[in-house]
Amino acid sequence: MDLIQSFDALPRNLQECFLDTGSSFRKDQKIIASTVIDVWFGLYGIENIICMHYLQDLASHKLLELLPLGKNEYEDGFFNEFLVKQDNIFREFAINQCEKDSFSIFERKRLNLDIQENNFPNWCLNPKQPITINASLLSISTDESFTSNWIEMDCPNVEALVLNLASSNYALPNFITTMKKLKVVMIINHGPDPVKLTNLSCLSSLPNLRRIRIEKASISLLDIPKLQLNSLEKLSLWLCHFVEVLNDLEVDNVSESFQSLQEIEIDYCYNLFELPYWIFQVVSLKKLSITNCNKLCSLSEVIGNLKNLEMLRLSSCNSLFELPETVQRLSNLRVLDVSGCFQLKKLPLEIGKLKKLKKISMRDCYRCELPDSMKTLENLEVKCDEGTVFLWKRFKPKMKNLRITEEETEHNLNLLQLF
């Protein structure tokens, strides 16, 4: 079956998602699954798990590849463990299909704007009338020579914005302020080093912005709460470099600034020594995922303020040596993941107070001491490896419905494709 037949055989919803993926990202790009899922969320408002099923369906039709980077799990709603690859032929086909949707560039549902050096396409340079883009998905790709010399555009209907960049300095375009319907922003750096991002303030005027993802950028974590992102629900930072010494006790009104924020993901950020204080003031937070941050050695005791936190994921933070005792105050915590934290010496003494805790993952935690209060937990599922399973077996007779799953530690070569 040729490509056209494969595409025509898809249900309409998968056709749309296929065209979105092909229109959003650069050729030869390897995409973390969460990035694609966030774009689809912005365009269709569908749940993350349904988006993951769409990815699996497209992979089963051979229209993309879905490669596991870890344990091939996503039941906890964490999708950074998968890599999406799409053949350039499929990408070009998707762009061609989008061009057929409307003769006018300005009326297309999806628009891919490719800027080489500082040369915009001719249709951007018409001085006779203002440029109005009516696309709901806008992808802008620039090269290493681009100097952020933007033209003015009006983009009132854009709901998902993908910025693919490669320069060492990059100023976000001011015309983002015209995107009043914008729900998702993806800022993806393809250059060898973290890009210095400026003009982040243009995001502060967007009333519907739900998700922000920034990859391989040099930013100040203290600038983020200043943006007053009242509608933001998810913040994702991947391979970012944080430029400041974290001393942010003076940040005010964080709960008001982030009254909708439920999820923070920080992954592969190697110079993260500690989390900024303002994160622990986001009382609406339900998921906090700090993974593969090798220099993070401890968490602040004020983490106990996060009364609504349901998931705490700290996997592969291999300098983390303890969790603060205030973790016992996270009364809504359901999932704790400390896998790969092989320096971790103990869990909080009164962790047994977390009556809603139903799952603990702790592979490669053979140094960790389990407190006696653990025995009061019921219906607990534990995932561990051969080196840590003995820690739990002594609790087996004392804990009601304790389930222990022993898994082997894997080293997945697909990880090399991320860097």
Side-chain angles (χ1 to χ4, degrees):
M1 184 181 292
D2 63 21
L3 180 53
I4 295 177
Q5 290 176 315
S6 297
F7 177 75
D8 290 341
L10 293 174
R12 183 61 183 172
N13 59 336
L14 289 184
Q15 287 184 353
E16 294 291 312
C17 290
F18 171 80
L19 295 177
D20 296 330
T21 305
S23 303
S24 298
F25 306 103
R26 302 200 324 178
K27 65 180 181 179
D28 299 320
Q29 184 175 349
K30 302 171 183 67
I31 314 157
I32 296 173
S34 292
T35 309
V36 181
I37 288 171
D38 285 345
V39 170
W40 290 348
F41 168 84
L43 294 172
Y44 310 115
I46 49 181
E47 295 180 6
N48 291 349
I49 190 65
I50 296 176
C51 292
M52 190 65 199
H53 291 160
Y54 287 178
L55 281 173
Q56 291 174 321
D57 288 341
L58 289 172
S60 69
H61 285 86
K62 310 298 183 184
L63 294 173
L64 54 79
E65 290 184 77
L66 191 59
L67 305 175
L69 298 176
K71 284 289 181 181
N72 199 23
E73 296 176 352
Y74 56 86
E75 68 267 22
D76 296 330
F78 186 76
F79 303 98
N80 285 4
E81 299 283 341
F82 292 85
L83 189 67
V84 177
K85 293 178 64 179
Q86 190 170 45
D87 192 285
N88 287 338
I89 294 175
F90 297 155
R91 177 181 177 272
E92 292 172 5
F93 174 80
I95 292 174
N96 290 335
Q97 288 293 119
C98 295
E99 291 174 351
K100 293 178 182 179
D101 287 346
S102 175
F103 177 77
S104 171
I105 290 174
F106 306 103
E107 299 300 324
R108 289 176 187 162
K109 181 178 179 180
R110 305 168 182 86
L111 184 60
N112 190 297
L113 174 58
D114 191 9
I115 305 170
Q116 298 297 319
E117 296 182 345
N118 287 307
N119 299 317
F120 285 76
N122 290 335
W123 59 264
C124 293
L125 305 176
N126 185 355
K128 296 180 181 180
Q129 58 185 13
I131 297 174
T132 300
I133 301 298
N134 287 307
S136 56
L137 170 59
L138 177 60
S139 174
I140 303 176
S141 298
T142 56
D143 62 11
E144 63 277 1
S145 302
F146 184 63
T147 60
S148 300
N149 185 22
W150 295 99
I151 62 172
E152 289 302 315
M153 295 193 295
D154 185 24
C155 308
N157 294 316
V158 171
E159 295 178 298
L161 174 65
V162 181
L163 300 175
N164 295 294
L165 51 131
S167 52
S168 58
N169 293 278
Y170 190 92
L172 298 187
N174 285 325
F175 58 74
I176 290 180
T177 60
T178 70
M179 300 179 182
K180 301 304 181 183
K181 294 183 179 181
L182 189 64
K183 298 175 183 176
V184 173
V185 174
M186 305 280 109
I187 304 172
I188 306 172
N189 173 28
H190 302 275
D193 300 309
V195 59
K196 182 179 180 181
L197 280 183
T198 56
N199 201 30
L200 284 171
S201 60
C202 69
L203 300 174
S204 62
S205 60
L206 304 174
N208 292 300
L209 187 57
R210 300 288 190 269
R211 298 188 182 188
I212 297 175
R213 182 177 181 89
I214 302 176
E215 296 188 5
K216 201 186 293 187
S218 179
I219 59 173
S220 168
L221 281 173
L222 300 187
D223 286 342
I224 294 175
K226 299 174 184 178
L227 298 178
Q228 301 292 313
L229 300 169
N230 295 330
S231 298
L232 191 69
E233 297 173 356
K234 180 181 177 183
L235 173 66
S236 301
L237 304 171
W238 184 80
L239 209 65
C240 286
H241 178 84
F242 303 125
V243 298
E244 76 284 329
V245 175
L246 296 174
N247 183 17
D248 57 332
L249 296 179
E250 74 279 3
V251 178
D252 296 323
N253 302 319
V254 171
S255 293
E256 294 181 14
S257 300
F258 288 125
Q259 55 189 287
S260 302
L261 187 57
Q262 297 185 20
E263 186 171 357
I264 295 177
E265 291 182 353
I266 302 178
D267 195 18
Y268 286 104
C269 296
Y270 294 121
N271 77 323
L272 180 69
F273 291 91
E274 59 181 324
L275 294 179
Y277 185 82
W278 64 260
I279 286 181
F280 305 112
Q281 296 174 281
V282 184
V283 294
S284 58
L285 205 62
K286 292 184 177 181
K287 295 182 180 180
L288 179 58
S289 178
I290 314 296
T291 55
N292 301 292
C293 295
N294 294 335
K295 294 186 178 180
L296 181 70
C297 58
S298 63
L299 297 176
S300 171
E301 291 187 354
V302 290
I303 192 174
N305 294 340
L306 301 179
K307 300 297 186 181
N308 292 300
L309 198 67
E310 297 176 2
M311 177 187 295
L312 179 58
R313 186 179 174 93
L314 301 163
S315 64
S316 299
C317 294
N318 52 33
S319 294
L320 187 68
F321 61 89
E322 67 177 358
L323 299 182
E325 292 297 326
T326 51
V327 165
Q328 70 190 41
R329 289 160 42 192
L330 303 177
S331 56
N332 283 295
L333 194 67
R334 300 175 186 274
V335 178
L336 175 64
D337 185 353
V338 291
S339 292
C341 298
F342 55 80
Q343 298 283 3
L344 191 64
K345 296 179 180 179
K346 62 179 181 178
L347 295 180
L349 287 175
E350 299 300 327
I351 196 171
K353 292 182 178 180
L354 301 178
K355 299 306 180 182
K356 292 185 179 180
L357 187 62
K358 297 303 176 186
K359 182 176 179 180
I360 296 179
S361 295
M362 52 181 306
R363 293 183 294 269
D364 294 323
C365 294
Y366 53 89
R367 291 189 176 100
C368 188
E369 179 181 328
L370 302 181
D372 286 340
S373 68
M374 192 71 72
K375 63 186 179 184
T376 64
L377 298 177
E378 298 181 358
N379 302 311
L380 185 67
E381 177 186 2
V382 175
K383 294 192 174 183
C384 53
D385 60 357
E386 182 180 6
T388 51
V389 69
F390 76 94
L391 298 172
W392 287 97
K393 284 185 175 179
R394 71 181 180 92
F395 283 95
K396 188 75 172 176
K398 306 175 184 178
M399 296 180 67
K400 184 177 179 179
N401 298 325
L402 173 64
R403 289 167 293 154
I404 303 173
T405 303
E406 185 177 342
E407 299 176 339
E408 294 182 5
T409 301
E410 295 181 355
H411 300 283
N412 196 316
L413 295 180
N414 289 330
L415 280 170
L416 299 176
Q417 301 189 54
L418 283 173
F419 305 103

